[in-house]
Amino acid sequence: MRNNFRVARSMVLAVAGMGFCLGAQAGSGTSLLAPGYQAQLETWLGEGRLALTNIYTKATGDTSVNFHKASDGKGRTFSVMEARNESGQTWLVGGYNPQSWNSSGTYNMTPEDSQRTGFIFNLSTGQRHVQTPKGYALDSIGAYQTFNDINAGPTFGIGADLGVSADLTSRGVSYRYSYLDPVAGVFGISLLDGKPYSTHPNVTFGAIQVFSISAIPEPASYAMTLLGLALIGGMQVRKRHRRRGVA
């Protein structure tokens, strides 16, 4: 019985530690994401609490090559960045990429509305803009989810609706086209300040971070895991006892 208790206690501590680590992932390396901002992203995505793991943080001298080396093939992500317009005003903006980043030089295409689950956002103003649905102006404009090129940072839409250049700092663009509100949307509106922008690069980016996304298990899942691990531990102890000739 004592051995059973020790095994069960070890299992409980292990799972508790696992839960702590999952919670810590959501708060580690997230200097751009205050708790309120993370809660807003969770609300927009609509999947409950999320573990956001920082997989890339822009460092001095980084280029798009560094971004892709850290982010390609890592599944869905949030990209969050400080963006400044020509007047020197700064916003915290970014985008949700439902697919992995890659360096193929092509767009991730989503021809059907059911596939158009990406969105760009301005956390400073509390605005989210989803991919333009079919039937609005041209059916295909909302199909361009992300642009994936070794010479581009996190880039969303064909506009580019939010585009980061190779040096991850200068010559950025925000020209909403693939992420356009179907009711009040106007082509060429900036994600930053909502003003009409030309396509010339006039956005400067400061800090940039990319976060991989995973769900945090619900308490019921932890309970089931604890029960399963405890049962396995008890079975292992009984097997050892039988081998020693203990009833």
Side-chain angles (χ1 to χ4, degrees):
M1 287 292 294
R2 185 173 299 173
N3 286 334
N4 283 340
F5 173 76
R6 289 175 180 169
V7 171
R9 182 180 62 181
S10 298
M11 297 296 181
V12 169
L13 291 174
V15 175
M18 181 175 65
F20 174 80
C21 290
L22 284 171
Q25 283 181 338
S28 63
T30 57
S31 59
L32 289 181
L33 286 182
Y37 287 151
Q38 176 165 335
Q40 181 64 81
L41 292 178
E42 290 172 341
T43 298
W44 281 336
L45 193 58
E47 297 179 6
R49 291 192 61 210
L50 303 172
L52 304 184
T53 303
N54 182 203
I55 59 175
Y56 174 70
T57 296
K58 174 183 163 185
T60 302
D62 272 6
T63 69
S64 54
V65 174
N66 301 98
F67 155 70
H68 281 285
K69 183 177 179 180
S71 305
D72 285 4
K74 298 297 177 62
R76 58 188 187 146
T77 53
F78 286 122
S79 297
V80 183
M81 55 201 82
E82 295 173 340
R84 184 170 65 251
N85 66 4
E86 291 177 313
S87 300
Q89 299 169 293
T90 301
W91 292 265
L92 192 63
V93 302
Y96 166 59
N97 180 6
Q99 306 184 60
S100 289
W101 292 105
N102 63 76
S103 304
S104 64
T106 63
Y107 286 94
N108 278 346
M109 299 299 295
T110 54
E112 301 301 326
D113 281 343
S114 60
Q115 300 170 313
R116 300 181 186 184
T117 56
F119 56 84
I120 58 176
F121 53 80
N122 187 326
L123 287 168
S124 299
T125 60
Q127 294 182 337
R128 178 184 71 148
H129 303 283
V130 298
Q131 289 179 254
T132 309
K134 294 176 69 174
Y136 181 73
L138 301 173
D139 283 350
S140 62
I141 62 174
Y144 296 83
Q145 191 170 79
T146 58
F147 180 57
N148 301 271
D149 191 275
I150 195 66
N151 294 312
T155 297
F156 296 80
I158 198 173
D161 297 59
L162 181 62
V164 182
S165 66
D167 69 7
L168 302 183
T169 300
S170 63
R171 299 178 59 80
V173 176
S174 180
Y175 185 90
R176 285 178 47 222
Y177 190 76
S178 298
Y179 291 79
L180 201 66
D181 299 328
V183 177
V186 179
F187 289 109
I189 297 297
S190 170
L191 175 64
L192 279 64
D193 53 21
K195 296 179 180 179
Y197 269 27
S198 66
T199 55
H200 78 276
N202 50 14
V203 178
T204 302
F205 293 100
I208 296 176
Q209 293 183 328
V210 179
F211 303 89
S212 64
I213 303 168
S214 57
I216 296 179
E218 296 295 328
S221 299
Y222 282 124
M224 292 298 294
T225 302
L226 283 171
L227 178 60
L229 290 174
L231 289 173
I232 292 171
M235 291 173 62
Q236 291 175 340
V237 170
R238 284 194 294 273
K239 288 179 180 178
R240 287 200 297 270
H241 284 180
R242 290 192 185 100
R243 286 197 293 270
R244 295 173 184 170
V246 178

